[in-house]
Amino acid sequence: MSAQQEIHFDEIISRYRSDPYHYIDVRAVHTGTVRFLAKEDSPVEGVSGEWQHKPGTPLYQIERERNSKVITAKTNGAVASVCRELDGQFVEAGEKLLTIRHPLKKKEVIEAILQEVLFIFRAPERARYYFSLDIQSRIDQKGARSIFIKPGDEIITMSLMKRDTPVYYSGEEGLIHSIYFNPGDSINQGAPLLGICPEEKYPLVQKVITRVKAEWD
C-alpha cells in the first residue's frame, strides 16, 4: 500500500467533508411552458409515506396544449439554483430547470467514494441482466467478494427481446466488491452493474469504509 494511494483517498474524503452533497439537476419532462413553484434555498422533500403515496415538494408546473402537470421532488434537500430566465418560457424536453442539493448520508458517502475508486462495469444496453450460472453458483457458495474475475470472463447474461446473450467482462481484473442490480431487473444502458476492486486495493478500500463509518456524522 503506497503513500500515494493513502494521499489519494485522504483527498477524496476531504472533498466530501468540505462539500457533503449530491447535486441533482431537474430537467423538463417534456416540451411546454414552465412556471417555477420552488425558490432558491427552499427546502424540498421527496416521496414519502409507508406506501410511497405522499408526493414530494412541487418544483415546477409545465403546460403543453392546455394540459398542465406539476412535477415534484424525488429526493430531499434544498434548491441550490433555479434557471429563473426560463420562468414562463417554452422549453424543450430535457432542458435543465433547477438543481437540488441533497445532503449525503453516511451510506451515500461510502457509495460515492466507491464509485470513484472501483472499476465500474456498466450495462451495454437496456435489458434484463442475470449472473452467468457459474458466477451465480459461486456467489451462492462463497459470496460475491470472494470471486476474482478478469477480462474475457463470461460473468453476466443479457436478456433482450426474449433472447439471452452472454456478456464478457472487460476492465480491471479483481474481486467483485459491489453489485448494483438485482438479477432479472430491467437496467438502463450505461447504468452500473458491478464494482470491481483490484486485489491489492481491497484492504485500502475496506479501511476507507471503516474510517467513514467511524468518523462521519
Side-chain angles (χ1 to χ4, degrees), residues 65-82:
E65 298 177 352
R66 298 185 180 179
N67 292 316
S68 182
K69 181 186 296 184
V70 173
I71 304 303
T72 59
K74 300 295 188 289
T75 187
N76 67 300
V79 178
S81 62
V82 178

Side-chain angles (χ1 to χ4, degrees), residues 44-167:
V44 298
E45 296 289 338
V47 178
S48 61
E50 185 177 354
W51 297 282
Q52 300 290 287
H53 61 288
K54 297 180 181 178
T57 305
L59 298 177
Y60 68 90
Q61 179 178 313
I62 188 164
E63 183 176 321
R64 180 174 63 181
E65 298 177 352
R66 298 185 180 179
N67 292 316
S68 182
K69 181 186 296 184
V70 173
I71 304 303
T72 59
K74 300 295 188 289
T75 187
N76 67 300
V79 178
S81 62
V82 178
C83 299
R84 279 289 164 198
E85 70 278 7
L86 298 177
D87 196 28
Q89 301 298 311
F90 184 87
V91 298
E92 298 291 338
E95 188 158 359
K96 176 182 169 181
L97 301 177
L98 54 91
T99 300
I100 292 175
R101 183 175 60 247
H102 168 70
L104 293 171
K105 298 178 181 177
K106 184 183 297 186
K107 183 178 179 181
E108 292 172 317
V109 171
I110 291 171
E111 191 50 52
I113 291 173
L114 288 176
Q115 291 263 341
E116 289 195 45
V117 301
L118 300 178
F119 176 83
I120 306 300
F121 185 67
R122 300 181 182 277
E125 295 185 48
R126 177 175 172 79
R128 296 187 184 279
Y129 289 87
Y130 305 84
F131 283 110
S132 67
L133 292 177
D134 175 58
I135 294 292
Q136 186 63 64
S137 175
R138 290 161 63 191
I139 289 175
D140 293 341
Q141 291 176 13
K142 298 182 179 180
R145 293 185 180 178
S146 67
I147 298 173
F148 181 84
I149 60 174
K150 59 185 185 301
D153 285 352
E154 181 184 335
I155 55 170
I156 285 174
T157 298
M158 179 176 69
S159 182
L160 180 64
M161 304 293 286
K162 298 183 179 180
R163 181 179 178 182
D164 291 346
T165 304
V167 177

Side-chain angles (χ1 to χ4, degrees), residues 189-204:
Q189 182 180 19
L193 295 175
L194 301 173
I196 307 302
C197 182
E199 282 188 296
E200 67 274 10
K201 272 189 180 180
Y202 196 86
L204 185 58

